[in-house]
Amino acid sequence: MSTLNDQHYIDKIIQGETNAFAVLVDRYKNMIFTLALKMIKNREEAEEVAQDTFIKAYNSLNKFKGDSKFSTWIYKVAYNTCLDRLKKNKKEDNNISIDEFSAHLIKTMDNALSALEDKERRQTIQNCLNLLPSEENFLLTLFYFEDQSLEEIGKIMSINANNVKVKLFRSRQKLAVILKKQLEPEIIECYERER
């Protein structure tokens, strides 16, 4: 794939070379679909949301000013498209009790997230993430898997970086509870030894 930056293709599209949009779609389609699936939790609807995201992005491309990365901008479009779909469907998120939370458990969970090279652990963590409410799953995915900064996540979710930090902390608490329930005790022991 070409190493030309996104702005190069955006300029071409705005100048009338609409085929250049295919490069941007190709670059971001997997992540947009993944984020949509995490929020919508329905494969067919996530595919529709991903398509809607690219249609909205294409139609609004002239509004992209370049004051943030294109990835941040398109993730924001995807996030808002997901929120619109959720409102339309009026689906209720399940809240998870965090009564069992402890600071030690957060540390264990962070150790688990830092060991993502191991495919089996990565899949286990993905499965646990999918048990979280949509917005928290989306937030943790952006932070841990897409390496988005607090500021970038704030732009995507239309909240300030401090609110992102608070939401991230609470989401990590909930994920820690799920990990504690899902991971086999010997895996947790392994993480504790790594501390």
Side-chain angles (χ1 to χ4, degrees):
M1 182 167 69
S2 171
T3 56
L4 292 170
N5 70 17
D6 295 337
Q7 191 61 52
H8 169 80
Y9 294 102
I10 293 166
D11 293 342
K12 287 183 119 176
I13 297 160
I14 290 171
Q15 293 164 10
E17 289 185 48
T18 55
N19 291 342
F21 193 66
V23 175
L24 297 178
V25 171
D26 196 49
R27 277 186 187 173
Y28 294 102
K29 66 183 177 189
N30 291 337
M31 194 58 207
I32 297 296
F33 173 73
T34 300
L35 292 172
L37 187 59
K38 288 185 176 303
M39 286 196 70
I40 304 297
K41 298 185 180 180
N42 175 296
R43 190 168 198 82
E44 293 78 26
E45 286 194 49
E47 286 170 359
E48 288 177 26
V49 166
Q51 289 174 357
D52 289 349
T53 297
F54 284 112
I55 291 168
K56 287 178 183 178
Y58 180 81
N59 290 334
S60 304
L61 207 52
N62 59 340
K63 294 178 184 169
F64 176 69
K65 302 295 181 213
D67 52 356
S68 65
K69 293 191 292 189
F70 179 73
S71 60
T72 301
W73 183 78
I74 199 162
Y75 292 163
K76 182 179 178 78
V77 173
Y79 178 70
N80 289 330
T81 305
C82 288
L83 289 179
D84 291 345
R85 179 61 64 108
L86 288 170
K87 284 178 195 165
K88 183 179 162 193
N89 293 345
K90 295 180 182 171
K91 289 185 177 174
E92 294 291 317
D93 283 334
N94 294 327
N95 287 327
I96 294 164
S97 167
I98 59 169
D99 296 338
E100 300 175 46
F101 165 72
S102 72
H104 172 71
L105 202 51
I106 276 278
K107 201 167 184 89
T108 301
M109 192 267 310
D110 277 345
N111 288 340
L113 289 171
S114 68
L116 292 178
E117 306 82 40
D118 182 334
K119 194 175 181 180
E120 190 175 308
R121 288 181 188 169
R122 184 183 178 105
Q123 189 56 53
T124 300
I125 292 167
Q126 282 292 352
N127 293 343
C128 291
L129 275 170
N130 290 336
L131 296 173
L132 286 171
S134 302
E135 193 170 291
E136 292 164 340
N137 188 341
F138 186 89
L139 174 69
L140 288 169
T141 299
L142 285 174
F143 188 76
Y144 286 109
F145 293 93
E146 282 301 296
D147 296 322
Q148 297 285 309
S149 70
L150 296 177
E151 290 75 22
E152 289 167 330
I153 294 170
K155 287 179 187 174
I156 292 166
M157 299 179 78
S158 300
I159 55 178
N160 69 41
N162 283 339
N163 284 352
V164 172
K165 206 172 189 175
V166 170
K167 285 179 178 281
L168 186 62
F169 179 76
R170 290 181 181 150
S171 299
R172 288 168 62 210
Q173 288 177 330
K174 290 182 182 182
L175 182 59
V177 172
I178 293 171
L179 279 167
K180 182 182 176 198
K181 289 177 181 173
Q182 298 287 322
L183 294 175
E184 285 113 26
E186 64 268 18
I187 294 176
I188 291 176
E189 285 171 24
C190 172
Y191 293 150
E192 289 172 347
R193 284 195 301 271
E194 291 173 3
R195 287 190 304 133

